Amino acid sequence: MTQPLTHNCLNCLEPLYHDFKLHYLWQFKKELFPVMCSECQNHFDSLEATYQDKTDRCQKCSFPLSDEPDTDFVSRKYYDNGQLICYDCLRWMAIYPEELINHQSLYPYGETIQQWLNSYKTEGDILKGHIMAGSLQKIYKTYPNHHWVVLPSSKESLEHRQFHATGLLLDFAGIPYSCPFKYIGDGKKQALKDRQKRIEMPQPFEVIDQEINESSIIIFDDVYTTGTTLLHAKSALAARYPDKNIQSITISR
Ligand SMILES: [Zn+2]
Ligand SMILES: [Zn+2]
């Protein structure tokens, strides 16, 4: 019989009480046992619930939008052919083919996700990666016959972190993936670059020849900020695989 992955909530370390359920007997995925207490689960659930409401979100990338008068230009509502979109997507539509812009994120970039990312990615608490396994498995099932790929880490990030942050999340969720890219960028941390520098960033990826049988490719990343990195990766892939449908999914936007 499968065992619980943890006896303490991975988020707050309070003890977990695993109710035995009969279906655990014939299911073999550790993630079936909760990895968070119900209180922590509610924080992540409420983010998922927020995400369900699409009327205040960009229809291309799920970024939360507002029409309050004091909203800054990045979060204001824009329209393209009757479609509600964000400032970034509006700008990208002028540069990239519309189908490349399609993006889905799982959670808004709120306090819960920021803390989770900080523990997992920055502090290297890799067990916290299991927190995402459930929602990733769920979304994986909604995209059958898609080939998942991750972006390469720079040599500096890998040496510093000692694990590939997005690849490990997919490993924990049991999602197969490949990395058909070679990183040729400057190695400077994207998060440290200001908005303008990120937008002007030159192509940091080279596509490595890899046989991909599926007709659709999903690029998986942790955070979508301006979309620059993902759009570079998508256009590099589109040039190499012109007949494939290419989209992206991130934990957060
Ligand atoms: Zn907890
Ligand atoms: Zn958008």
Side-chain angles (χ1 to χ4, degrees):
M1 198 186 85
T2 180
Q3 293 293 315
L5 174 78
T6 175
H7 291 284
N8 294 78
C9 170
L10 290 184
N11 201 46
C12 73
L13 301 179
E14 285 295 309
L16 282 178
Y17 302 98
H18 296 290
D19 291 336
F20 178 77
K21 295 197 180 92
L22 203 57
H23 68 252
Y24 291 163
L25 277 176
W26 56 83
Q27 304 263 355
F28 297 98
K29 291 216 168 86
K30 284 175 180 162
E31 284 75 21
L32 279 174
F33 286 96
V35 293
M36 280 193 290
C37 69
S38 52
E39 202 172 313
C40 290
Q41 191 67 58
N42 282 341
H43 286 291
F44 285 87
D45 272 356
S46 69
L47 288 171
E48 238 183 350
T50 319
Y51 173 69
Q52 300 288 319
D53 181 9
K54 289 193 169 150
T55 55
D56 284 329
R57 297 198 173 272
C58 171
Q59 288 168 21
K60 292 241 147 264
C61 75
S62 28
F63 187 61
L65 301 172
S66 164
D67 40 21
E68 294 296 316
D70 57 345
T71 310
D72 64 59
F73 72 97
V74 178
S75 306
R76 222 174 281 162
K77 289 183 179 176
Y78 298 85
Y79 291 89
D80 182 87
N81 278 330
Q83 190 173 214
L84 173 65
I85 58 173
C86 71
Y87 172 78
D88 286 326
C89 287
L90 184 72
R91 211 166 28 92
W92 293 134
M93 300 262 265
I95 303 172
Y96 291 101
E98 190 182 341
E99 57 278 9
L100 276 195
I101 298 164
N102 288 336
H103 176 78
Q104 186 175 356
S105 34
L106 304 180
Y107 300 100
Y109 194 63
E111 203 184 323
T112 307
I113 287 296
Q114 287 174 33
Q115 280 171 2
W116 170 80
L117 255 178
N118 187 52
S119 314
Y120 171 68
K121 201 174 163 179
T122 315
E123 292 167 3
D125 184 354
I126 58 169
L127 263 187
K128 284 209 166 82
H130 287 278
I131 288 174
M132 289 301 157
S135 27
L136 284 172
Q137 282 168 1
K138 212 153 118 197
I139 194 133
Y140 178 60
K141 285 186 194 132
T142 64
Y143 288 97
N145 306 316
H146 283 62
H147 181 88
W148 286 55
V149 303
V150 295
L151 304 176
S153 285
S154 69
K155 208 170 141 246
E156 291 79 3
S157 304
L158 261 184
E159 269 166 15
H160 170 75
R161 196 172 289 137
Q162 300 284 315
F163 67 100
H164 189 291
T166 49
L168 190 63
L169 290 179
L170 296 182
D171 285 334
F172 286 159
I175 298 173
Y177 63 93
S178 69
C179 180
F181 303 99
K182 192 173 137 193
Y183 185 80
I184 50 168
D186 62 11
K188 289 203 183 82
K189 272 211 177 121
Q190 290 311 307
L192 299 180
K193 290 183 182 173
D194 66 27
R195 192 174 180 86
Q196 200 52 36
K197 287 225 174 62
R198 292 179 67 115
I199 288 164
E200 291 163 358
M201 177 177 85
Q203 174 62 271
F205 305 117
E206 202 175 277
V207 175
I208 304 165
D209 258 345
Q210 226 175 53
E211 202 181 329
I212 296 179
N213 298 320
E214 295 85 347
S215 58
S216 300
I217 303 175
I218 287 176
I219 307 182
F220 172 68
D221 203 8
D222 49 9
V223 182
Y224 182 113
T225 310
T226 62
T228 313
T229 309
L230 276 171
L231 278 159
H232 273 309
K234 283 173 171 178
S235 52
L237 273 185
R240 170 65 185 79
Y241 303 100
D243 299 330
K244 295 198 192 289
N245 162 42
I246 298 161
Q247 55 190 307
S248 49
I249 292 177
T250 56
I251 296 291
S252 190
R253 162 74 167 103

